Amino acid sequence: MLLTIDCGNTNTVFSIWDGTEFLCTLRTSTHHARTADAYFTWYSTLINHYGIKADITDVIISSTVPRVVWNLRVFTDRFFNCRPLVVGKPDCLLPVAPRVDQGTQPGPDRLANAVAAYDRHGGNTVVVDFGTATNFDVVAEDGAYVGGVIAPGVNLSLEALHSGAAALPHVDVSQPERVIGTNTVGCIQSGVFWGYTGLIEGIISRIKAEYGRPMKVVGTGGLAPLFEKGDHLFDTIEDDLTMHGLTVIHKYNKDQGNI
């Protein structure tokens, strides 16, 4: 079985793929000092709790936090006796190479999203990924990642507002009942929700205009369903897009005899 690991700035997600479906998905906070033993204790405790029997033979890692990759490598080598494939490293092949400025290394999560979007929806696609940052990834007709947009994430903006303005409380992200807030919490929720709705609509519109042809829009990440409530922003929402991309990349490397 394949263990896919997606390490972001805020959370790290483990999913077990049996070749047909994901058996489970486990989530923990990202912490660069977490050791291989600590990863295994957390992982094995949850696996046993859910009663999952998983004989892991392969591992693929996508990490936007370089400092955690070493401990994840040790974790996979020590407890699964295998060498992980790491997206973004020279020895990890992609179905189609990204077309970006020379010397630019796209984030591995963005590469995985592009591969997944192409596998499921074909090219000429925009992926909007809600994470610590809000990423807009453009997938060309042949499946290549060709660039995109990075905006501050929703929760990051809320934290900055709370820490930078002492009188303003920290609030949860939700769709307000009215645009015009009649209290401080309502005003902040309206500004964040409708502000980001406008940001998403505006950026997608400009990407489509610059790209010059019809494009599908795929939303992913924890907040995608929330923002879909405000306006019809996406053609589809997929919560496992990055993980699916990792399974496709792993299969491609296996088919090429790279692992």
Side-chain angles (χ1 to χ4, degrees):
M1 291 186 185
L2 172 66
L3 176 62
T4 62
I5 304 175
D6 177 36
C7 179
N9 289 291
T10 303
N11 294 314
T12 299
V13 181
F14 287 49
S15 290
I16 298 174
W17 175 254
D18 70 354
T20 304
E21 62 181 353
F22 287 110
L23 300 182
C24 71
T25 295
L26 313 174
R27 187 180 301 268
T28 185
S29 58
T30 299
H31 184 29
H32 71 270
R34 182 174 282 122
T35 64
D37 290 345
Y39 276 117
F40 183 73
T41 299
W42 165 80
Y43 169 85
S44 59
T45 299
L46 287 178
I47 290 297
N48 291 333
H49 173 76
Y50 290 119
I52 297 170
K53 304 297 182 182
D55 181 18
I56 302 299
T57 58
D58 297 271
V59 179
I60 183 170
I61 299 170
S62 163
S63 177
T64 58
V65 187
R67 296 175 67 185
V68 307
V69 174
W70 168 255
N71 282 324
L72 288 172
R73 283 183 181 273
V74 175
F75 162 71
T76 59
D77 178 63
R78 180 177 298 168
F79 297 107
F80 302 123
N81 194 31
C82 71
R83 180 175 178 270
L85 194 64
V86 181
V87 179
K89 298 297 184 182
D91 60 347
C92 179
L93 305 177
L94 296 174
V96 183
R99 292 195 292 273
V100 292
D101 292 345
Q102 187 174 1
T104 299
Q105 178 57 57
D109 55 334
R110 307 183 79 180
L111 296 175
N113 284 345
V115 170
Y118 183 73
D119 183 68
R120 286 180 168 173
H121 306 286
N124 302 330
T125 303
V126 183
V127 177
V128 184
D129 188 356
F130 293 86
T132 305
T134 301
N135 294 329
F136 298 75
D137 303 319
V138 179
V139 186
E141 187 172 9
D142 64 349
Y145 169 84
V146 293
V149 177
I150 300 175
V154 179
N155 287 312
L156 190 64
S157 297
L158 274 172
E159 291 172 11
L161 184 64
H162 174 62
S163 62
L168 296 181
H170 189 282
V171 302
D172 294 329
V173 183
S174 62
Q175 181 180 3
E177 294 182 3
R178 303 176 56 186
V179 175
I180 302 173
T182 55
N183 55 65
T184 303
V185 170
C187 289
I188 295 174
Q189 287 177 333
S190 183
V192 171
F193 182 84
W194 292 113
Y196 265 87
T197 298
L199 179 147
I200 296 162
E201 288 178 324
I203 290 179
I204 289 174
S205 176
R206 289 178 179 274
I207 288 174
K208 288 181 175 180
E210 186 170 289
Y211 198 72
R213 67 193 74 176
M215 304 182 78
K216 296 177 287 293
V217 182
V218 180
T220 190
L223 292 176
L226 172 65
F227 282 94
E228 179 68 4
K229 293 178 182 178
D231 284 306
H232 183 66
L233 301 175
F234 315 115
D235 294 308
T236 185
I237 295 176
E238 300 182 7
D239 59 0
D240 67 342
L241 192 71
T242 306
M243 292 314 208
H244 177 69
L246 293 180
T247 69
V248 175
I249 293 172
H250 179 268
K251 183 178 184 302
Y252 178 77
N253 279 265
K254 204 156 194 174
D255 290 346
Q256 295 298 312
N258 194 44
I259 51 177

